[in-house]
Structures are given as C-alpha cells and as structure tokens.
Amino acid sequence: MINPSSSATTATVSPNGNDAALPRLPGQFAEPKGGFDFRQFWHSLVEKIWIVALCTLTGLFLALGYLARTPKLYQGHTVLEVEFQEPTVVSTEESALRMRSTFLASQEAMRTIEQNLTNQTLLTRVIRSEGLAEDGGRALLGQNIASGDPSKTTPRPGASPIQNKIDDAIGVTTFTPLEEALSRALTGMVKPLVRRGTRLIDLYVTNRDPAMAQRLAESIGREYIRNSIERRASFSQDALRYLLEEEERLKLNLQKSEAAVAEYKAKTPDALQLGGGTAATGSQAGSGAGAGGPRGGLVEDKLQELNSKLTAAKADRLRLEGELKQIEQAGENIDALLAIPSISAAALVNEAQRNLTQVEAEIATLTLRYKEKHPKMMAAQAAQAEAKEKLRRAVMAQPPILRNAIEQTKATEASLQGALQDQQGVAVALNRAAIGYQELARQAETDRVLYESVLRQIKETSLTKDVKTNAVSVIEHSPLPRTPISPSPTKAIALGLLGGLVAGLAFVLGADTLDRSIKTVDQAEAAFGLPVFAAVPETGEEGKVPRLKRRSRHFGGSNYRIVVEAPDDPAAEAFRNLRAALSLLGPEVERKISLFTSALPNEGKSFTSANYSLALAQQGYRVLLIDGDLRRPNMHKIFHFPEAMKRNNSEEDSAPGVMDCLVGEADLSSAARPIPAGEIDIVTDKVAVAGNILTATGGQLSVLAGGRRAPNPAEILAGPFFGQLVTEAARLFDRVVIDSAPILAVSDTLLMMPYVQTVCVVLRAGKTPRQAVRRAISLLASSGIRPAGLVLNRLHRGRGVGYYYYYASHGYGAGEGSYSVSYDRRSNSDRKDNGAS
C-alpha cells in the first residue's frame, strides 16, 4: 500500500532526528493541477447519491403536480397560401397592379399577412361573427356555463339600431368593450408562422376545447379572406364613384377645348402653315392634315434646307482657309505642299506626279543594265529633272486657285445667310399666329387622353368590383384535435427528472467544491508533497471476530486495538503496511523513536499510535508506547489499565506515568506497564502448538501512560527531562512510539521534536481541513522537522475500494485462515479426522 516513488523521495534522517533535506516553506505546498477531477467528483457522487436520487424524485413529483394542475390545451391548425399576385379577370399593365404583384411576391408581404392574422380588429370581427360574446366569453375561455336557468346566460351585447346606422354611414364597425376584451384574450391563443422557403402560412390556435380550437382556426382564416375581399370591394366602389365623377368633368373640359380650337382655326387660317394643323384633334384633325399640313411643311422644310446649305458652306470655307494657312507656312517646300489635300487632289498636280513616277521607274530599270555615265542613263536623269520641275510649277500654281475658291465660298455663304434670314422672318411671322392655336390644340389633346384613360378605368373597375377573389386562400382546413399539445406528459416528466438530476449533480459538485478536506490518498500526496504510509478505513462491528467476544470480559468491547481484536480487518492490514513502510525509511538506529501527531484533535493519532505499537510488538520488537498527550491522555483507557477503570473518572490515571517520570517521582522501568502477551499475539498458544504455527517470539509492549495531571506541561517539556526520558527509553527498548498532542492545539508537540527521529502526521479523511494540515506542517518546518509521511485515517468504506486506495484488495486471503479463527476450526477438524482414521 506504500507508494514507492513517494517513499523514495523521503529525506535522509540525521542522527539528531532532523531531516537532512530542508522542508518546504509554508507557501510551497503542492497543489493539484487545475482542471476538473473526475475521479474525486465520481466518488463524491457515489457518497451522496441519495441526494441526487432525492432531487430527481422531487423533480418527478413537481412534474406530476404540474401535469395535474395545468389545464390541457388543444391546437387547431389551418394552412394558408399566398399567391404571387391577386387573381383578376382583366389583363392590365397598370403600374399600381405591377407594384402590388411585386409586393405580394416579397417576404415583407408574407410577414405583413402574418402580423395581420393577429390584428385586434380582425380578431374582434371573429368574436362577433362566431357569437363568442353571447355567453360572456365562457366558451372561448374554457369556463363552464351553469346549466338550468337559461335566463342567467349573459345575452349578446348587440349594437343599437342607431349605432348600426352610424356605422353604415361612416363605413366603420364599432365593437363593444366585451368583444374587444375577448379579442385581446384571443390574441394569446393565435400563432401564425411563415414556413421558410415557401408561400405558406401555418395558423395555430390553442384552446382548452378541441372543437373551439378547430372552430377558431377556421374562422380566423375565413374572416381574414372575407375582410380582404370586403376591403377591396369597398375600395373598388369608391374608386368607381370617383371615376364617374371625373368622367363627367373631363367630358365637359374636352368639349370646351375642341370648340376653342375650332373657333381659333376659323379666325386665323395662317396659323396652320407652321404645322399647327398637326395638333388638331377630333374632326379638326382631318381638315388640318389636308389643308394646313402641306403649307406648314413647305415653310419648315425650306427653312431647314437653307440652314443645312449655310452650314455646309461655312464648313467648306473653314476647311479651305485652314489649307491656305498650311500653304503659307510650307512656303516652297514641295513635299509639305503635296501633303495638303486640295493641292494633292488638283488635276495638274496629279498629272505631273504620274509623269515623275514613270520616269523614276525607267531609271530604276536602266540602273540594272547601265552605269550612271551611260547616255541612256543620262537622258533618263534629264527627263527626271524636267518632270520634277513640272511638278513644282503645278504645285506652286495651286495657292492662287485656292484663294479664288475661298472667295467663291464666302460669296455663296453670304447669299445663303441672306436667304435664311428672309425665310426666318417669314417663319416668325407665321409662328406668332400659330402659338395660340398650338396651345389650344395641346390642351384639347390632353383632355382627350385623360378622358379616354378614365373611360378605360371605369370599364375595368366595373368588371372587377364584384369579383370575390383574393391572393390568400385556405389550402388545408383544420381537423378536430384529438390529443392535447400542452402539457406534454413525456416532456414534463423528462424535464422534471432532468432538472432534478441536474440540481442534484450541481449540489454534489458545489458541496465537493466547497469541501476543503482530504478524501483520497492522491489528494493528500498532491496537496502536501508527502507520502501516505497507510490508508486506514473506517472500522465497525463487522470487523470483530468471535475471539474478541471471549476477551471482552478482560478489556471491554472497544475496537481501538484493531490489530489484535480484528486482525483480518482491512484496517489491521493498513497498520501492518504502516509498520512495513516505516521500517523501509532507513537504518533502524535512525528510526527507533517515532512520534505520531495531528493538526487538530480527534484525528485518530492515539488510535494510530496504539495499533502501530501493537504491530511492532507482534513482529517481535520490544516496544515502549509513551502517552505524550499530557493534556488529554488516552492510553490508559485504550489498554484498560485496572487503576483507571476502578476510578469513577477515568480521564486521569492514578498510576505513575510520563509526568511522574519528568518530575523525578518515578523511573521509567517502574512506570512503564507491560501488556500481557495474550493481548498482543494474533494466534493463541493452543493454536500455535496444535497447528505447528511459526509466530514471532520475544515481542513485548509496554505503555507509559500520562499519569497524573500537571498544571504546566509545556514548561516541563521545555526542560531537559523529556530528552533524558526518551534517551533512556531508546536504550531499554527496540522501538519507542510517542503519542503527542495536536500541533495546532498546544505547543507540547513542537517541544518534543528535537528528541524524535520519525514524525508521522495523522489526518482524518473527509474532515481535516487542508489549511490546518498546512499550518501544522509549516510549524514543524519552522522547528527544522519535515514529517516522514502521512496516515490517512477513517476512510469511508462505502465509497468503494478505489476511493481510498484503488490498488488495494480488501479481504485478500479471507476464508483461507489468514489472521482468522477459521484456522482454529480447521485445525480441530483435521485432528478429528486423524482420530477417526
């Protein structure tokens, strides 16, 4: 049960009893690494599983109570479909209808319809149409109507005849306060949802009555469609009335406009010469087109023709002037002059260029056959020079020709400019007469267009005002709900159980997080950096053996001496492991004097000291157990000394003890009381002889009890007498075990430290706070002592073997005679068999 790696790290002990290695400082204790320790949580959960079960049962009962108290709700379900555009019997391309279709095709339209299904006015209309206010809303709210006297039924609060006339006159329906209140209650029952990626809207209505849920789901969808049709019909009726009024007004305006055009035309015939006749409408359109059209066209065409010619003449003049500037800049540079378009295009220049090109071609041919001094070559070169001269003369003759062309162009331009001005004067004179006519004609044409548009809209509105179609339609009617949707028993019970389980786990986790005690061996070693020599489980009545009952008349029924009274108990095996672990720490001469202490009282240090001493005696050592807790001595009670049992108050031993030796009133040999061998040996002499059992011999245990009380134990321990007592005990005995007081309670233990060689700190599993142990170890470190290790006492067995020493094996060898009286029975059985044979 000893962690070899932990034991190996224990510092070497010097002869004076102090560890050679320096102890850790108080702030250097090892802490478990951060993170969730699942093993610790699991064992805490196993320990507190009843809390989790209680919370789970509580959640179950809460869920059942919720199911019992919550009314059942049924759900009606209707499916509505929204078309991309409203159905119509007249094909039209009006922008308003196109915008309406675009809106219906958008998701905003789907959301708008979804919100309108919960509109307060719509739901109030449903309340009125279904007559749900006649019984005061009891059917809607799921309240039972008292049967018997029908006169007690609340009558439907209908509107008065005067109010109905007012509603018809203003076109607005007035509802009663009860109907409005019921519609607000109905709002919480209605839930429309748009199906994602579709043009469908699911309409859900919940109610305590399944028939009412179905009825409301159907009624809301039907009332929405009816309301939409009524609103459109009302709008169409108002629009038709307005269009008829406009038709009469526009008809009068058109007649007046046409009469004005005809009158002006008769008074001013010349107004049509500029195209005024083309704006005439009606009967005037034909005559205007026949008479005024040609005359007006001639004036306009001639004006346009003159303007075009004048523009062309200006363009030619500007082009020629630009070329003349280039000629002046080029001077006599023939190549630059030939680059000018007017010169290169002249006939004389073209002829001279052709001649020069032919001569150059002949020279190129002769060059292949003759040299430059050949007569033919010389004649050809002379011809080439003559051709170039002709070309130069032709080019130089072109500028005067160009100047003459510019003058001719200017004369033509001036002539056209004069003709244009004369024609513009004629047009202006005609235009003055045609302005009034054209204005009257445009007004008449505008009135006619408006009049025809209104006539077309009147026809379309008359055809569509009685059409009872809508973009929203019911494609799936609500069936009668058979099963309630709320509360769901499965869901409620599952949530109750889950909530209870989570609450229980949270409680266990919180309790485990807030618990600062040490529960496992791994925790102790990780927290304090010291090896755990033994993990002693909780002892109980089940750990006793019948031999204990036979001895109970001598030293009571206490299970403090577990090594003797229940040797096959796991706790006894833990002390044998402690004995083995301490024997491996170093040479015997350096580990003769051991001290057991604790941080706080009631940790089990006296229990550990007594059983460790018994285990050493069973191994054959001469052991002295010193009760060093001078404030609350216990050894005289554990070993049931007769002097202490005879006194009424067994808290104090009248026989000589530690205090008597320290003050010099008794010596060690007389004060130490030996324990009988029968209270030490595991196997009786009878069994040892009959069964030929080999046992350790020579083991003795002497107990030096506390003795009488002293008023100043700390001052006595501070003197040299305790050191002398320990030295004498080490000389007379093989092992000296000291049971000391708690470190944090009194200072006695710290005063004993200079005289001991091995120090073990006892912790009580699940109780001792970590901070207390750290404080105790820090005080030991301040005295120059590092504890050799820890003893984890009173581990709860119910947590399982793995909780406190997961590599331990309880009951190993049980039933095989190991530390058990069963061997005595088997020995007797074997002797009987041998006698029979």
Side-chain angles (χ1 to χ4, degrees):
M1 293 183 66
I2 304 304
N3 190 335
S5 61
S6 300
S7 301
T9 60
T10 305
T12 305
V13 179
S14 59
N16 63 352
N18 297 336
D19 289 345
L22 293 176
R24 293 186 181 184
L25 296 177
Q28 296 177 331
F29 289 107
E31 281 288 349
K33 293 182 178 180
F36 182 70
D37 190 351
F38 182 77
R39 179 186 296 275
Q40 177 182 348
F41 176 71
W42 170 254
H43 291 297
S44 299
L45 178 62
V46 172
E47 179 186 5
K48 300 181 179 66
I49 192 65
W50 63 273
I51 297 179
V52 178
L54 181 61
C55 292
T56 304
L57 289 177
T58 303
L60 176 61
F61 288 136
L62 291 176
L64 294 177
Y66 169 76
L67 293 175
R69 295 177 61 87
T70 305
K72 296 181 179 179
L73 297 179
Y74 296 85
Q75 188 178 76
H77 179 206
T78 300
V79 181
L80 306 178
E81 182 181 11
V82 181
E83 300 291 345
F84 284 97
Q85 62 182 4
E86 291 183 346
T88 179
V89 296
V90 179
S91 178
T92 179
E93 296 297 331
E94 291 188 5
S95 60
L97 294 178
R98 289 198 301 270
M99 292 177 60
R100 175 68 175 170
S101 300
T102 304
F103 174 71
L104 287 175
S106 64
Q107 285 297 318
E108 287 77 6
M110 300 293 292
R111 297 296 180 188
T112 302
I113 296 173
E114 178 187 16
Q115 296 299 321
N116 283 334
L117 288 172
T118 57
N119 183 273
Q120 195 74 26
T121 303
L122 174 66
L123 298 182
T124 309
R125 291 170 61 94
V126 172
I127 296 295
R128 174 167 291 186
S129 64
E130 296 296 324
L132 297 178
E134 295 179 358
D135 60 350
R138 292 184 178 87
L140 176 64
L141 302 177
Q143 300 175 356
N144 296 325
I145 302 176
S147 59
D149 190 0
S151 62
K152 295 183 179 180
T153 303
T154 304
R156 176 180 178 179
S160 63
I162 299 177
Q163 185 64 44
N164 291 333
K165 292 181 180 180
I166 297 175
D167 293 344
D168 296 338
I170 64 177
V172 178
T173 305
T174 304
F175 301 104
T176 63
L178 177 59
E179 291 174 339
E180 294 178 353
L182 292 178
S183 68
R184 288 192 292 271
L186 181 58
T187 303
M189 305 178 188
V190 181
K191 184 180 181 182
L193 290 176
V194 178
R195 291 189 189 179
R196 180 174 296 180
T198 67
R199 306 284 301 173
L200 303 178
I201 298 178
D202 294 298
L203 179 60
Y204 299 99
V205 181
T206 57
N207 195 271
R208 296 183 182 182
D209 184 6
M212 180 60 68
Q214 179 193 30
R215 176 183 172 187
L216 290 174
E218 292 286 340
S219 178
I220 292 174
R222 183 173 59 251
E223 192 63 31
Y224 177 81
I225 297 174
R226 181 188 303 166
N227 186 35
S228 299
I229 294 174
E230 290 179 357
R231 285 190 292 107
R232 191 179 67 175
S234 176
F235 174 77
S236 298
Q237 190 68 30
D238 295 340
L240 182 60
R241 187 183 304 110
Y242 171 75
L243 290 174
L244 291 174
E245 295 175 356
E246 282 294 303
E247 188 267 340
E248 292 295 332
R249 186 181 66 82
L250 292 176
K251 184 177 181 181
L252 294 175
N253 292 341
L254 180 60
Q255 292 175 355
K256 292 179 181 179
S257 299
E258 290 181 347
V261 170
E263 182 180 358
Y264 190 88
K265 183 178 179 182
K267 292 180 180 179
T268 314
D270 294 338
L272 300 178
Q273 293 186 17
L274 281 176
T278 59
T281 59
S283 60
Q284 290 79 5
S287 60
R295 290 185 294 171
L298 289 175
V299 175
E300 292 177 353
D301 292 344
K302 188 175 182 179
L303 185 63
Q304 184 175 2
E305 182 182 357
L306 291 174
N307 192 20
S308 299
K309 289 181 179 180
L310 179 60
T311 302
K314 289 181 178 180
D316 291 340
R317 178 178 59 80
L318 293 175
R319 179 178 60 80
L320 294 175
E321 290 178 350
E323 291 180 354
L324 182 60
K325 289 182 179 181
Q326 292 180 359
I327 291 173
E328 293 175 352
Q329 293 176 357
E332 294 184 357
N333 188 350
I334 302 302
D335 294 335
L337 293 174
L338 288 175
I340 298 173
S342 61
I343 294 177
S344 62
L348 293 176
V349 175
N350 288 334
E351 182 66 24
Q353 285 181 337
R354 283 197 301 270
N355 292 334
L356 179 60
T357 302
Q358 291 177 359
V359 172
E360 290 177 349
E362 291 178 1
I363 291 175
T365 302
L366 293 175
T367 302
L368 298 176
R369 298 175 61 184
Y370 305 106
K371 296 182 178 180
E372 293 183 357
K373 301 298 183 178
H374 194 273
K376 291 185 177 181
M377 284 292 296
M378 296 178 64
Q381 290 175 354
Q384 180 183 12
E386 183 179 0
K388 288 183 179 181
E389 180 63 21
K390 289 182 179 180
L391 177 61
R392 189 186 69 79
R393 289 197 299 267
V395 169
M396 296 304 295
Q398 292 303 315
I401 298 174
L402 183 60
R403 292 186 181 94
N404 293 332
I406 291 174
E407 294 299 329
Q408 292 176 1
T409 303
K410 288 182 179 180
T412 302
E413 182 180 351
S415 176
L416 291 174
Q417 184 70 31
L420 180 62
Q421 290 177 355
D422 294 340
Q423 190 66 26
Q424 286 178 347
V426 175
V428 168
L430 292 176
N431 193 32
R432 290 193 186 99
I435 289 176
Y437 176 80
Q438 291 177 355
E439 183 177 353
L440 294 175
R442 284 194 299 270
Q443 182 64 37
E445 184 65 22
T446 302
D447 291 342
R448 176 168 293 279
V449 172
L450 292 175
Y451 180 70
E452 291 176 353
S453 176
V454 169
L455 288 178
R456 184 172 60 255
Q457 293 183 25
I458 289 174
K459 292 178 182 179
E460 293 176 356
T461 306
S462 298
L463 291 175
T464 59
K465 67 182 181 64
D466 295 329
V467 176
K468 299 186 184 316
T469 58
N470 191 265
V472 181
S473 60
V474 179
I475 64 170
E476 183 178 339
H477 294 276
S478 174
L480 181 65
R482 301 296 180 183
T483 57
I485 63 163
S486 176
S488 174
T490 304
K491 183 178 180 180
I493 293 176
L495 289 178
L497 292 175
L498 181 61
L501 179 62
V502 170
L505 292 177
F507 181 84
V508 173
L509 180 61
D512 184 67
T513 303
L514 296 176
D515 188 1
R516 305 307 299 167
S517 63
I518 298 296
K519 298 184 179 66
T520 64
V521 173
D522 293 337
Q523 284 183 358
E525 293 181 344
F528 308 119
L530 297 174
V532 176
F533 291 144
V536 183
E538 190 79 56
T539 58
E541 293 298 327
E542 67 276 10
K544 299 179 183 181
V545 294
R547 183 160 58 93
L548 173 63
K549 298 180 181 180
R550 294 196 301 269
R551 295 182 178 182
S552 60
R553 62 180 180 269
H554 297 292
F555 44 83
S558 170
N559 58 355
Y560 261 80
R561 294 171 292 174
I562 197 71
V563 174
V564 177
E565 298 169 3
D568 57 344
D569 192 86
E573 189 63 34
F575 287 111
R576 286 189 283 271
N577 287 333
L578 175 62
R579 178 186 64 189
L582 293 180
S583 65
L584 297 175
L585 292 181
E588 291 187 7
V589 67
E590 297 179 2
R591 293 297 180 185
K592 292 185 64 175
I593 306 172
S594 301
L595 182 142
F596 290 89
T597 185
S598 63
L600 301 173
N602 300 323
E603 300 293 301
K605 55 181 181 54
S606 299
F607 170 70
T608 304
S609 303
N611 284 277
Y612 174 66
S613 301
L614 289 170
L616 289 175
Q618 290 173 355
Q619 200 173 9
Y621 290 104
R622 293 175 299 149
V623 183
L624 174 63
L625 175 58
I626 300 176
D627 192 348
D629 190 354
L630 303 181
R631 312 296 180 101
R632 293 175 57 183
N634 290 315
M635 292 304 167
H636 62 283
K637 294 186 292 183
I638 293 176
F639 289 93
H640 303 283
F641 290 151
E643 294 84 354
M645 298 300 293
K646 290 178 181 179
R647 299 173 60 91
N648 294 330
N649 184 10
S650 60
E651 294 294 332
E652 182 178 353
D653 187 8
S654 61
V658 175
M659 187 56 64
D660 299 278
C661 294
L662 293 178
V663 298
E665 295 183 359
D667 57 355
L668 178 61
S669 58
S670 61
R673 282 171 281 187
I675 304 301
E679 298 182 13
I680 299 175
D681 295 338
I682 301 174
V683 183
T684 61
D685 296 337
K686 180 180 179 182
V687 175
V689 174
N692 194 20
I693 303 299
L694 296 177
T695 61
T697 59
Q700 297 178 3
L701 174 61
S702 299
V703 178
L704 181 60
R708 63 190 181 91
R709 298 293 182 88
N712 55 345
E715 287 73 13
I716 296 176
L717 291 174
F721 305 108
F722 183 78
Q724 298 173 2
L725 176 64
V726 171
T727 303
E728 179 67 14
R731 185 180 62 82
L732 298 177
F733 295 90
D734 299 331
R735 293 286 188 273
V736 178
V737 180
I738 303 174
D739 175 31
S740 66
I743 298 176
L744 301 183
V746 292
S747 61
D748 298 358
T749 303
L750 298 177
L751 298 174
M752 299 178 183
M753 288 302 160
Y755 311 108
V756 300
Q757 296 174 320
T758 304
V759 179
C760 291
V761 180
V762 180
L763 314 179
R764 182 172 176 179
K767 180 182 178 182
T768 307
R770 301 186 187 187
Q771 292 299 113
V773 180
R774 288 174 183 153
R775 175 63 178 164
I777 297 177
S778 299
L779 292 176
L780 293 177
S782 64
S783 301
I785 295 294
R786 175 188 173 91
L790 307 173
V791 176
L792 200 56
N793 187 32
R794 299 192 67 175
L795 281 166
H796 200 289
R797 293 189 181 186
R799 297 175 181 173
V801 175
Y803 187 73
Y804 65 91
Y805 242 104
Y806 48 84
Y807 44 83
S809 180
H810 293 305
Y812 181 75
E816 303 296 332
S818 302
Y819 298 106
S820 175
V821 295
S822 60
Y823 195 93
D824 192 3
R825 298 192 187 97
R826 284 199 301 171
S827 299
N828 294 333
S829 177
D830 292 341
R831 287 197 303 271
K832 291 180 181 179
D833 292 341
N834 292 333
S837 61

